[in-house]
Amino acid sequence: MKKSKAKKTFREKHKKPRAGSSKNLSHEILYKNLDWATETAAYYGFIPYNIPEVTKGDRKVADGVEKEEHIVANGCLPFLRLAERISILRNYEERKWNKKPQPILAAYTSRKSESKTYHFGLEIIGSDKNIADATVIKDSYEILKERGYDQISVVINSMGDRESFGRFVKEFTLYCRKNLENLHPSCRQDFKKNSLCILSCGHEKCVKLLENAPKPMGFLSEPSRDHFAEVLEYIEMLGIPYKIENYLVSDRTFGCQTGFEILD
């Protein structure tokens, strides 16, 4: 099989693991036999990383958060379950990584034996700056380009901070409740469990209803507006084609601010 240019470059520049990296990250994967996505991510500075074991305490915390405010929009589930993300943050605190140079860039890979789906995730821990969002977008884009996806582009949106998104959900739910008769019958039932289910519905009635519905960016606080504007400036400077999708939102139990998808 022909090796890609990025893989050759990575192996030439990283014949040995980074100094101190194996000491700093006990869950680090050795820099050999990396899969295509992880190797490209490592070339851009992400450390191959295994997810720490999930404890009962992690699951208990995750259950509490999900019961309180669990929302899954657009039918897209994050790469990591909430309990796994909590285990990463717990490990981050236990090892006092916040005392080390920040941020920590980590790449996760998972392929379950019973599934043919390839799962890959990038995490930047220890920074909430807009450059962190832009870095994840840039590296995700480059990983797919390296794999041979040439005609790809980014769709992007901002959910804002938790308060901003909370105001949006409240107004969006109220708007849909006033227009229940205009929803597709299946969405009327789903609406009772998750008001954002309409965002993933492709039925003509629901699509038409969204034309005048509240949008997340209409409720952004000033800091959130500035954050998103600077993220867009970064990806424009990097030459990444993008389009703002007003109703692209992610599960708010997993994060806030910028959400994006890369489409072929």
Side-chain angles (χ1 to χ4, degrees):
M1 181 181 292
K2 184 178 179 181
K3 296 180 180 178
S4 65
K5 182 177 179 181
K7 289 187 177 181
K8 289 181 180 178
T9 305
F10 172 74
R11 283 170 179 157
E12 290 170 0
K13 291 188 176 183
H14 298 269
K15 293 181 179 179
K16 294 181 180 180
R18 294 180 182 179
S21 61
S22 61
K23 294 181 180 179
N24 292 340
L25 296 174
S26 63
H27 299 279
E28 182 189 11
I29 303 172
L30 293 177
Y31 282 85
K32 61 181 181 179
N33 300 323
L34 299 180
D35 61 74
W36 60 273
T38 308
E39 188 164 9
T40 304
Y43 174 75
Y44 286 102
F46 283 81
I47 299 173
Y49 189 71
N50 279 327
I51 300 171
E53 183 178 353
V54 176
T55 66
K56 290 183 179 180
D58 297 332
R59 294 191 184 93
K60 184 176 181 181
V61 173
D63 289 343
V65 172
E66 288 178 334
K67 288 179 181 178
E68 181 180 354
E69 52 181 316
H70 183 61
I71 292 179
V72 176
N74 289 351
C76 298
L77 292 174
F79 165 68
L80 297 175
R81 300 193 310 271
L82 184 55
E84 291 173 323
R85 186 177 293 273
I86 290 172
S87 74
I88 292 171
L89 296 177
R90 172 181 52 75
N91 192 61
Y92 176 86
E93 291 183 347
E94 289 176 352
R95 295 191 167 275
K96 302 187 185 303
W97 287 345
N98 59 314
K99 305 296 183 182
K100 300 182 181 297
Q102 300 294 305
I104 291 175
L105 284 65
Y108 306 94
T109 303
S110 174
R111 187 195 294 274
K112 297 181 179 180
S113 58
E114 69 275 9
S115 173
K116 295 182 179 180
T117 303
Y118 177 80
H119 296 275
F120 177 79
L122 298 175
E123 287 279 343
I124 296 183
I125 307 172
S127 174
D128 59 358
K129 297 184 181 298
N130 40 59
I131 187 63
D133 292 2
T135 298
V136 171
I137 295 171
K138 166 66 173 176
D139 292 351
S140 300
Y141 182 83
E142 292 299 335
I143 287 169
L144 291 174
K145 291 282 285 187
E146 174 67 19
R147 188 61 172 175
Y149 294 93
D150 296 323
Q151 304 299 319
I152 56 176
S153 60
V154 172
V155 292
I156 190 171
N157 193 28
S158 175
M159 300 181 295
D161 51 35
R162 294 173 67 85
E163 290 74 20
S164 299
F165 192 64
R167 290 193 295 270
F168 159 70
V169 172
K170 181 179 180 180
E171 291 300 318
F172 183 82
T173 302
L174 181 62
Y175 170 83
C176 292
R177 190 170 287 128
K178 290 180 179 179
N179 293 276
L180 276 178
E181 69 280 2
N182 297 322
L183 292 177
H184 187 265
S186 62
C187 284
R188 293 177 196 170
Q189 295 299 320
D190 295 338
F191 177 78
K192 298 176 183 177
K193 300 178 181 178
N194 176 10
S195 61
L196 299 186
C197 68
I198 301 165
L199 301 179
S200 60
C201 181
H203 193 275
E204 183 179 353
K205 296 183 68 174
C206 294
V207 172
K208 186 173 181 58
L209 185 65
L210 287 177
E211 292 178 359
N212 298 312
K215 300 174 178 61
M217 282 202 290
F219 298 86
L220 298 182
S221 62
E222 185 172 348
S224 293
R225 286 183 181 277
D226 293 341
H227 181 100
F228 189 53
E230 291 172 4
V231 170
L232 295 181
E233 287 179 11
Y234 277 122
I235 62 177
E236 285 176 3
M237 288 190 298
L238 293 168
I240 299 175
Y242 74 90
K243 175 185 177 182
I244 294 177
E245 174 53 64
N246 287 312
Y247 293 111
L248 174 67
V249 301
S250 59
D251 188 335
R252 66 178 179 177
T253 62
F254 287 84
C256 53
Q257 297 293 0
T258 310
F260 74 97
E261 291 180 351
I262 300 179
L263 305 178
D264 184 15

